[in-house]
Amino acid sequence: MIKKILVLDFGGQYNQLIARRVRDLNVYSELKSYNNTSIEDIENGAYSGIIFTGGPHSVYKDNAPSIDKRIFDLGIPILGICYGAQLIAHLLGGVVEKAEDKSEYGNTEINYGESDLFDSIQKNNVCFMSHTDYVSKLPNGFIVTAKTKNCPHAAFENRDKKIYGVQFHPEVTHTREGKEIIGNFVRRVCGLEKTWFVEDFAKESIEKYKATLKDKKVLLALSGGVDSAVAAVLLSKAIGKNLYCIFVDHGLLRKDEADNIEKVFKNNYDLNFIRVNAVDKFLNDLHDVDEPEKKRKVIGEDFIRVFEEESKKLGKINYLAQGTIYPDVVESGNDKASTIKSHHNVGGLPENIGFDGIIEPLRDLFKDEVRKIGVSLGLPKEIVYRQPFPGPGLAVRIIGCITKEKIKILQDADAILREELESSNIDNMPNQYFAVLADTKSVGVKGDARTYGETVVLRCVSTEDFMTAYFTRIPFDLLEKISNRITNEVKEIVRVVYDITSKPPATIEWE
């Protein structure tokens, strides 16, 4: 049996990222909700370690998320993060209080002491804090292993029982050497080596779908992005021509993208490719819609309606397949986590979609894991490393109502940004970059005359996991060149601005 780590979910926004960090170490992780996981499930799960995640609650309040105290007697190493650390202290007799003037948020200087968690970690360091409660008194048997200016128990542990708590978030990139801290827990404390590889996941998935989908017809929304493309090729290797890939041209794609997608997929893969021109339907239904969540719901509903119409032409279709991945699920929220935004993959589906069920072969994977599978399946680099693109397309990159004119303006500006960046050979190439058409006009001067035109925002971010991100420091001369081209070549635009906000507090997309 493969060795694995249980990530016990208490409702924070970085929970799946913790599971991802464990997988980075080639160790299998399972993410399970605290309220659906009994102590018997944990005891029988053969886990080599347990991580308690963060969460938005206060451990001392009624009905706060909790866990059976017997978990501490199973002899399984435990690491609590943020809320998880507070829960450990609370359940074992410590005291957790509202921080009052000691709350911390953002990058914070920290001093690490001696601990297996902090082996080979620089002692004077920086961590990412996000808490309004803190552990004011440790349980018996625990010692302090890290401090910050305002948090006297930034990390603590019971070495004999291998129970550890950290108030900060080692899983986010803002915490320096945070991945190494998680690695120390997995390797040094839990004693696990490399036993899980994402390429094995692909092989196992193909074999699974060969068996479970035999003689079944599957309909897939193929956008041309890496997620749907990898899902398409993976499923095609399992069921071949029983896979029907519908590419819905909703008119909200990047410049020339619709034609390029058809060119790549039409004749190169063992699947049925169908292009549907639904531009008028989407734009009509989005008329006067300016609220982003409503845009997503309208687009999600239209996607399903188009699929149903096309499926009737194909006869009986058994399943709808989607390229849903982990971040889609995390950021759409659920019964445990606060909603940030809905994705059309998971948030816009009507109850009756006309199929026997939904297949999401990539639901448990993060973006870079999906790319690894794409490479292993032989997808071309231009598909595997295509710029991330939201399901609703340019609808959520045009702030406010959508028109054909606005779409054309944004397509042209975005194409210039991508062309200049991709030909620049800069060292700090961003992981994602795109343009946003703001719902703000301003005065400009063109041809010695005053104009009143559009504002475009350039968004470039550097990230490892797309759960957290920093704005990319693009050289000023390159930004100037991009700005000049946009304002000269796209006559409606008079102002170009650059977004220098990281995630958090912002999201990568504007809507």
Side-chain angles (χ1 to χ4, degrees), residues 322-483:
Q322 295 188 144
T324 310
I325 64 173
Y326 259 4
D328 297 336
V329 179
V330 171
E331 295 195 348
S332 294
N334 47 44
D335 61 339
K336 306 179 297 298
S338 300
T339 298
I340 295 177
K341 59 186 177 184
S342 297
H343 293 254
H344 85 275
N345 283 355
V346 292
L349 298 178
E351 293 183 4
N352 181 13
I353 61 173
F355 303 100
D356 296 339
I358 297 175
I359 296 169
E360 297 175 317
L362 310 178
R363 186 183 178 90
D364 294 332
L365 301 177
F366 278 78
K367 182 72 72 174
D368 60 328
E369 292 179 310
V370 173
R371 288 197 171 103
K372 287 179 182 178
I373 289 179
V375 171
S376 72
L377 294 175
L379 274 165
K381 287 185 177 181
E382 61 265 27
I383 296 297
V384 173
Y385 295 103
R386 175 166 290 184
Q387 277 287 294
F389 194 61
L394 298 182
V396 293
R397 291 181 179 174
I398 296 173
I399 310 303
C401 295
I402 299 163
T403 65
K404 285 186 177 180
E405 293 74 22
K406 288 183 178 180
I407 293 171
K408 177 66 165 56
I409 292 169
L410 182 56
Q411 285 177 332
D412 289 343
D414 182 75
I416 292 170
L417 169 66
R418 289 186 288 116
E419 179 183 329
E420 289 297 335
L421 278 174
E422 290 162 13
S423 63
S424 66
N425 295 317
I426 59 173
D427 293 333
N428 58 329
M429 188 69 175
N431 300 99
Q432 186 172 359
Y433 41 96
F434 55 89
V436 175
L437 187 63
D439 191 21
T440 302
K441 287 191 173 184
S442 63
V443 175
V445 179
K446 285 193 175 184
D448 295 325
R450 289 172 64 86
T451 62
Y452 193 62
E454 304 287 352
T455 300
V456 70
V457 181
L458 307 183
R459 180 71 161 146
C460 304
V461 298
S462 300
T463 178
E464 294 182 4
D465 46 51
F466 291 88
M467 297 296 292
T468 61
Y470 293 97
F471 74 89
T472 307
R473 287 161 172 79
I474 302 296
F476 282 165
D477 57 347
L478 179 56
L479 284 175
E480 181 181 22
K481 183 179 181 182
I482 294 168
S483 176

Side-chain angles (χ1 to χ4, degrees), residues 129-298:
M129 287 284 193
S130 180
H131 67 100
T132 55
D133 293 333
Y134 78 112
V135 177
S136 60
K137 180 182 177 182
L138 293 179
N140 291 334
F142 282 77
I143 60 172
V144 178
T145 54
K147 299 178 180 180
T148 70
K149 180 180 179 180
N150 291 321
C151 189
H153 306 131
F156 52 89
E157 64 185 51
N158 184 317
R159 292 176 181 171
D160 293 335
K161 292 190 174 183
K162 294 187 176 181
I163 301 174
Y164 303 80
V166 294
Q167 182 60 68
F168 56 92
H169 288 272
E171 70 275 21
V172 303
T173 55
H174 300 66
T175 295
R176 294 178 188 169
E177 300 185 280
K179 290 186 291 185
E180 287 76 10
I181 293 172
I182 293 176
N184 280 337
F185 176 72
V186 172
R187 299 273 190 244
R188 292 181 61 83
V189 177
C190 301
L192 298 184
E193 300 299 329
K194 297 180 179 181
T195 55
W196 185 81
F197 301 90
V198 72
E199 292 81 4
D200 294 338
F201 174 90
K203 295 176 184 177
E204 292 166 3
S205 295
I206 291 170
E207 293 304 313
K208 177 182 72 174
Y209 290 124
K210 278 183 179 178
T212 59
L213 297 178
K214 186 178 181 180
D215 300 324
K216 302 293 185 182
K217 290 185 178 181
V218 178
L219 189 63
L220 171 71
L222 179 58
S223 69
V226 60
D227 303 333
S228 63
V230 171
V233 176
L234 188 151
L235 288 172
S236 73
K237 289 183 178 295
I239 63 175
K241 290 294 186 180
N242 278 337
L243 176 63
Y244 294 81
C245 293
I246 293 181
F247 166 52
V248 178
D249 183 0
H250 50 28
L252 296 163
L253 297 176
R254 289 168 288 204
K255 188 173 184 177
D256 299 327
E257 194 162 39
D259 292 338
N260 291 335
I261 290 169
E262 181 172 8
K263 182 178 179 181
V264 169
F265 286 96
K266 184 77 172 180
N267 301 311
N268 293 330
Y269 299 99
D270 186 28
L271 48 80
N272 298 289
F273 180 88
I274 302 167
R275 180 173 177 175
V276 181
N277 187 338
V279 175
D280 290 341
K281 175 177 177 58
F282 278 82
L283 290 183
N284 287 338
D285 291 346
L286 288 167
H287 180 65
D288 289 336
V289 177
D290 60 358
E291 202 279 318
E293 283 299 292
K294 188 174 181 181
K295 288 180 185 177
R296 285 182 165 82
K297 299 300 182 183
V298 168

